[in-house]
Each structure stands twice: as structure tokens, then as C-alpha cells.
Amino acid sequence: MKRAYSPKEIAKKTYKTLPWGGRWEEAFGLPEESSVWFVYGGSAQGKSSFVMQLAYELTHYGQVLYLSYEEGVNQSFQERMLRFDLDKKQGWFRVVTNDTLEDLKERLKKRHSAKFIIVDSFQMAYWSYPETEALVKMFPKKSFIFISQVEKGQPTGKPARRLLYLADVKVRVQGFRAYCQGRFNPDAGNSFVVWEEGVLRTTNNV
């Protein structure tokens, strides 16, 4: 028979959380370092810029591996990387463009492999939901950040919508603001401003 936890045992459990503060904590609380993130939003809403800012912040706590399946390392990706100073994170930020799921597993099995894995986008990775769930369970001490395309305001495809429910931290990016909808949300009214000028333009309908 599988183990059942008592309330006392659960109350004694401790978790290692991201030690950030400031606007990151205000918008996203203190999620576990090994959380599953799901970031989604429409085109030209600030999603890609938010992910780059998140990647930069995460380099303070461990190595970041960016799976750039959708853009590769094209000019727009390069420009965003430079805009958010990730070129200064040599050794802490790496980008791959064509790893298969098996390639990624072998990479993550290595000693000193990345702690934070950004998958951009989940749709362009062409992984099934069972494969993705198995990957997360295989590496319980790592954090996976899945970026999703959207269609009619919802993540594109059934696997992505299932993955949304698996995620600990759900982030919807709209109007250059990132809204936390996950389990660590400290205040539903808070948001992370991705680009102040963009927020003003959106608000003023410019």
C-alpha cells in the first residue's frame, strides 16, 4: 500500500524557494526553485521580452538553458538577448535550437547541468503531454519554464492546455504586463511590468 502523509508530517516539510525580492516577489511570490512554469500570451504582447527578463533573473540562482525551438538564434532573438544583458551571463546562459527530447535528457543528466530549462515554444518542441510529464518527473530538482502559443486567448492545443493545469506558476502576458495565476500568487491584483512604455501605449490606445 502506498504511503499516506499525516498533517503533522506535511506541516514539517520545508521547501527551497527562489530567494528573489522586489517586483519579482510582489508579482510571483516565492515559488519553489523546482517549480513548473507555464507562460502564455498573444503575439506582440511582451511575452518574449518577459521570458528574457525572467531568464536573466534566474541566472542569479543557477544555470539557464534556453531551448529556442521557435526562433532559433535569429536577429530578433539576438536583439532581445542583448537588450536584457544576457550576453553578460557567459557560463550561466546557454541556448540550443535543435535538441530532441532524448538529447535534452542526456544533457540534463550531466553533472553541473542547467537548473532552469526554458522551452520556447512548447508547440514547436512537438512533445506529447505524457512525454512532457515524464520529463518533469525525471528531473524533480530542476525547474521547467514552458512558453506557449495561444489561440483565441487559450494555449494552443490540448497538450498545452493540460500542461497549464500541471504548472505551479501560470503566467499570462497581456498588454506588456505579466499576471501570475499560479499557486504562489501573493496578490491577484499585482502584475509584472514588462515594458513601461508599452503599457502606456496600450492603456492610451496609441
Side-chain angles (χ1 to χ4, degrees):
M1 183 178 294
K2 294 182 179 180
R3 179 179 179 182
Y5 291 95
S6 70
K8 188 174 182 180
E9 288 175 313
I10 295 173
K12 287 184 177 180
K13 289 176 70 69
T14 59
Y15 301 92
K16 189 175 182 180
T17 60
L18 288 170
W20 56 21
R23 62 186 190 135
W24 290 99
E25 183 178 352
E26 288 174 6
F28 305 107
L30 296 172
E32 292 179 57
E33 283 195 355
S34 57
S35 297
V36 174
W37 289 59
F38 189 94
V39 181
Y40 66 108
S43 178
Q45 295 294 312
K47 180 178 62 185
S48 296
S49 292
F50 168 72
V51 173
M52 280 293 184
Q53 291 178 64
L54 176 62
Y56 183 90
E57 179 65 24
L58 292 176
T59 60
H60 292 102
Y61 317 115
Q63 293 182 40
V64 176
L65 178 66
Y66 197 116
L67 307 179
S68 186
Y69 290 135
E70 190 162 314
E71 286 189 286
V73 287
N74 62 15
Q75 185 177 5
S76 62
F77 184 92
Q78 179 194 57
E79 288 175 350
R80 279 198 309 278
M81 186 194 74
L82 295 174
R83 186 185 315 140
F84 296 110
D85 294 328
L86 279 158
D87 57 310
K88 299 175 183 176
K89 290 293 184 175
Q90 189 72 22
W92 294 99
F93 180 72
R94 301 297 247 183
V95 181
V96 296
T97 60
N98 55 10
D99 268 20
T100 65
L101 185 57
E102 292 307 313
D103 291 336
L104 177 61
K105 290 176 183 177
E106 289 305 311
R107 191 185 293 275
L108 297 181
K109 287 177 183 176
K110 294 180 180 179
R111 192 177 181 184
H112 304 307
S113 61
K115 182 173 183 60
F116 303 99
I117 300 91
I118 299 173
V119 183
D120 187 7
S121 65
F122 175 65
Q123 286 78 11
M124 295 303 293
Y126 299 109
W127 301 340
S128 68
Y129 176 81
E131 288 175 328
T132 306
E133 185 180 28
L135 174 69
V136 170
K137 290 181 178 179
M138 184 180 293
F139 300 99
K141 293 185 178 181
K142 297 185 182 296
S143 182
F144 290 88
I145 299 100
F146 296 99
I147 317 305
S148 177
Q149 301 170 355
V150 297
E151 185 176 352
K152 296 181 179 179
Q154 296 297 317
T156 302
K158 289 183 179 179
R161 290 192 289 274
R162 288 185 68 187
L163 186 57
L164 173 64
Y165 288 100
L166 173 70
D168 305 296
V169 185
K170 304 169 178 63
V171 182
R172 178 175 57 88
V173 183
Q174 183 176 351
F176 303 100
R177 290 179 181 270
Y179 299 89
C180 181
Q181 301 172 312
R183 300 165 189 164
F184 302 99
N185 188 359
D187 187 337
N190 289 345
S191 66
F192 182 94
V193 175
V194 178
W195 182 37
E196 290 186 8
E197 185 178 339
V199 171
L200 291 173
R201 289 181 180 181
T202 302
T203 303
N204 296 327
N205 296 316
V206 176

PDB file of all heavy atoms in Angstrom, residues 172-184:
ATOM      1  N   ARG A 172       0.184  34.742 -17.486  1.00  0.00           N
ATOM      2  CA  ARG A 172      -0.444  35.256 -18.710  1.00  0.00           C
ATOM      3  C   ARG A 172       0.126  36.640 -18.986  1.00  0.00           C
ATOM      4  O   ARG A 172       0.093  37.514 -18.122  1.00  0.00           O
ATOM      5  CB  ARG A 172      -1.962  35.344 -18.541  1.00  0.00           C
ATOM      6  CG  ARG A 172      -2.693  35.926 -19.751  1.00  0.00           C
ATOM      7  CD  ARG A 172      -4.202  35.867 -19.552  1.00  0.00           C
ATOM      8  NE  ARG A 172      -4.628  36.570 -18.350  1.00  0.00           N
ATOM      9  CZ  ARG A 172      -4.919  37.887 -18.314  1.00  0.00           C
ATOM     10  NH1 ARG A 172      -4.816  38.623 -19.393  1.00  0.00           N
ATOM     11  NH2 ARG A 172      -5.302  38.443 -17.176  1.00  0.00           N
ATOM     12  N   VAL A 173       0.667  36.819 -20.195  1.00  0.00           N
ATOM     13  CA  VAL A 173       1.252  38.104 -20.572  1.00  0.00           C
ATOM     14  C   VAL A 173       0.297  38.809 -21.528  1.00  0.00           C
ATOM     15  O   VAL A 173      -0.049  38.270 -22.579  1.00  0.00           O
ATOM     16  CB  VAL A 173       2.636  37.922 -21.227  1.00  0.00           C
ATOM     17  CG1 VAL A 173       3.244  39.281 -21.543  1.00  0.00           C
ATOM     18  CG2 VAL A 173       3.573  37.127 -20.318  1.00  0.00           C
ATOM     19  N   GLN A 174      -0.099  39.997 -21.142  1.00  0.00           N
ATOM     20  CA  GLN A 174      -1.034  40.768 -21.958  1.00  0.00           C
ATOM     21  C   GLN A 174      -0.783  42.257 -21.737  1.00  0.00           C
ATOM     22  O   GLN A 174      -0.620  42.700 -20.596  1.00  0.00           O
ATOM     23  CB  GLN A 174      -2.480  40.424 -21.596  1.00  0.00           C
ATOM     24  CG  GLN A 174      -3.517  41.126 -22.447  1.00  0.00           C
ATOM     25  CD  GLN A 174      -4.928  40.676 -22.124  1.00  0.00           C
ATOM     26  OE1 GLN A 174      -5.131  39.717 -21.374  1.00  0.00           O
ATOM     27  NE2 GLN A 174      -5.907  41.349 -22.685  1.00  0.00           N
ATOM     28  N   GLY A 175      -0.755  43.015 -22.823  1.00  0.00           N
ATOM     29  CA  GLY A 175      -0.563  44.457 -22.706  1.00  0.00           C
ATOM     30  C   GLY A 175       0.726  44.831 -22.009  1.00  0.00           C
ATOM     31  O   GLY A 175       0.782  45.817 -21.267  1.00  0.00           O
ATOM     32  N   PHE A 176       1.775  44.039 -22.226  1.00  0.00           N
ATOM     33  CA  PHE A 176       3.104  44.266 -21.657  1.00  0.00           C
ATOM     34  C   PHE A 176       3.133  44.165 -20.134  1.00  0.00           C
ATOM     35  O   PHE A 176       3.976  44.760 -19.473  1.00  0.00           O
ATOM     36  CB  PHE A 176       3.690  45.607 -22.139  1.00  0.00           C
ATOM     37  CG  PHE A 176       3.776  45.689 -23.634  1.00  0.00           C
ATOM     38  CD1 PHE A 176       2.823  46.384 -24.365  1.00  0.00           C
ATOM     39  CD2 PHE A 176       4.791  45.032 -24.311  1.00  0.00           C
ATOM     40  CE1 PHE A 176       2.886  46.429 -25.752  1.00  0.00           C
ATOM     41  CE2 PHE A 176       4.861  45.073 -25.693  1.00  0.00           C
ATOM     42  CZ  PHE A 176       3.905  45.774 -26.419  1.00  0.00           C
ATOM     43  N   ARG A 177       2.193  43.408 -19.594  1.00  0.00           N
ATOM     44  CA  ARG A 177       2.189  43.058 -18.177  1.00  0.00           C
ATOM     45  C   ARG A 177       2.105  41.540 -18.060  1.00  0.00           C
ATOM     46  O   ARG A 177       1.408  40.893 -18.851  1.00  0.00           O
ATOM     47  CB  ARG A 177       0.996  43.669 -17.437  1.00  0.00           C
ATOM     48  CG  ARG A 177       1.033  45.181 -17.264  1.00  0.00           C
ATOM     49  CD  ARG A 177      -0.212  45.652 -16.536  1.00  0.00           C
ATOM     50  NE  ARG A 177      -0.266  47.085 -16.352  1.00  0.00           N
ATOM     51  CZ  ARG A 177       0.237  47.729 -15.294  1.00  0.00           C
ATOM     52  NH1 ARG A 177       0.822  47.029 -14.323  1.00  0.00           N
ATOM     53  NH2 ARG A 177       0.155  49.034 -15.188  1.00  0.00           N
ATOM     54  N   ALA A 178       2.773  40.984 -17.056  1.00  0.00           N
ATOM     55  CA  ALA A 178       2.716  39.552 -16.781  1.00  0.00           C
ATOM     56  C   ALA A 178       1.911  39.350 -15.504  1.00  0.00           C
ATOM     57  O   ALA A 178       2.248  39.916 -14.456  1.00  0.00           O
ATOM     58  CB  ALA A 178       4.127  38.981 -16.618  1.00  0.00           C
ATOM     59  N   TYR A 179       0.850  38.553 -15.615  1.00  0.00           N
ATOM     60  CA  TYR A 179      -0.046  38.302 -14.487  1.00  0.00           C
ATOM     61  C   TYR A 179       0.145  36.870 -13.997  1.00  0.00           C
ATOM     62  O   TYR A 179       0.017  35.923 -14.771  1.00  0.00           O
ATOM     63  CB  TYR A 179      -1.499  38.492 -14.913  1.00  0.00           C
ATOM     64  CG  TYR A 179      -1.826  39.885 -15.398  1.00  0.00           C
ATOM     65  CD1 TYR A 179      -1.666  40.227 -16.742  1.00  0.00           C
ATOM     66  CD2 TYR A 179      -2.294  40.854 -14.518  1.00  0.00           C
ATOM     67  CE1 TYR A 179      -1.968  41.509 -17.201  1.00  0.00           C
ATOM     68  CE2 TYR A 179      -2.605  42.138 -14.958  1.00  0.00           C
ATOM     69  CZ  TYR A 179      -2.435  42.459 -16.305  1.00  0.00           C
ATOM     70  OH  TYR A 179      -2.736  43.723 -16.751  1.00  0.00           O
ATOM     71  N   CYS A 180       0.425  36.732 -12.712  1.00  0.00           N
ATOM     72  CA  CYS A 180       0.596  35.405 -12.130  1.00  0.00           C
ATOM     73  C   CYS A 180      -0.763  34.816 -11.785  1.00  0.00           C
ATOM     74  O   CYS A 180      -1.562  35.433 -11.086  1.00  0.00           O
ATOM     75  CB  CYS A 180       1.469  35.476 -10.882  1.00  0.00           C
ATOM     76  SG  CYS A 180       1.750  33.874 -10.109  1.00  0.00           S
ATOM     77  N   GLN A 181      -1.012  33.597 -12.274  1.00  0.00           N
ATOM     78  CA  GLN A 181      -2.274  32.925 -11.998  1.00  0.00           C
ATOM     79  C   GLN A 181      -2.030  31.580 -11.310  1.00  0.00           C
ATOM     80  O   GLN A 181      -2.885  30.724 -11.291  1.00  0.00           O
ATOM     81  CB  GLN A 181      -3.038  32.705 -13.312  1.00  0.00           C
ATOM     82  CG  GLN A 181      -3.332  33.995 -14.047  1.00  0.00           C
ATOM     83  CD  GLN A 181      -3.906  33.773 -15.432  1.00  0.00           C
ATOM     84  OE1 GLN A 181      -3.396  32.992 -16.215  1.00  0.00           O
ATOM     85  NE2 GLN A 181      -4.984  34.480 -15.741  1.00  0.00           N
ATOM     86  N   GLY A 182      -0.824  31.415 -10.771  1.00  0.00           N
ATOM     87  CA  GLY A 182      -0.444  30.122 -10.210  1.00  0.00           C
ATOM     88  C   GLY A 182      -0.663  30.003  -8.723  1.00  0.00           C
ATOM     89  O   GLY A 182      -1.294  30.843  -8.079  1.00  0.00           O
ATOM     90  N   ARG A 183      -0.091  28.939  -8.165  1.00  0.00           N
ATOM     91  CA  ARG A 183      -0.328  28.594  -6.760  1.00  0.00           C
ATOM     92  C   ARG A 183       0.407  29.488  -5.782  1.00  0.00           C
ATOM     93  O   ARG A 183       0.126  29.462  -4.592  1.00  0.00           O
ATOM     94  CB  ARG A 183       0.087  27.135  -6.548  1.00  0.00           C
ATOM     95  CG  ARG A 183      -0.700  26.169  -7.431  1.00  0.00           C
ATOM     96  CD  ARG A 183      -0.067  24.800  -7.508  1.00  0.00           C
ATOM     97  NE  ARG A 183      -0.726  23.991  -8.532  1.00  0.00           N
ATOM     98  CZ  ARG A 183      -0.233  22.888  -9.035  1.00  0.00           C
ATOM     99  NH1 ARG A 183       0.936  22.431  -8.607  1.00  0.00           N
ATOM    100  NH2 ARG A 183      -0.893  22.212  -9.955  1.00  0.00           N
ATOM    101  N   PHE A 184       1.383  30.262  -6.275  1.00  0.00           N
ATOM    102  CA  PHE A 184       2.173  31.097  -5.372  1.00  0.00           C
ATOM    103  C   PHE A 184       1.781  32.565  -5.480  1.00  0.00           C
ATOM    104  O   PHE A 184       2.472  33.438  -4.976  1.00  0.00           O
ATOM    105  CB  PHE A 184       3.666  30.937  -5.683  1.00  0.00           C
ATOM    106  CG  PHE A 184       4.146  29.513  -5.584  1.00  0.00           C
ATOM    107  CD1 PHE A 184       4.288  28.735  -6.728  1.00  0.00           C
ATOM    108  CD2 PHE A 184       4.427  28.940  -4.358  1.00  0.00           C
ATOM    109  CE1 PHE A 184       4.718  27.417  -6.641  1.00  0.00           C
ATOM    110  CE2 PHE A 184       4.856  27.621  -4.262  1.00  0.00           C
ATOM    111  CZ  PHE A 184       5.004  26.857  -5.410  1.00  0.00           C
TER     112      PHE A 184
END
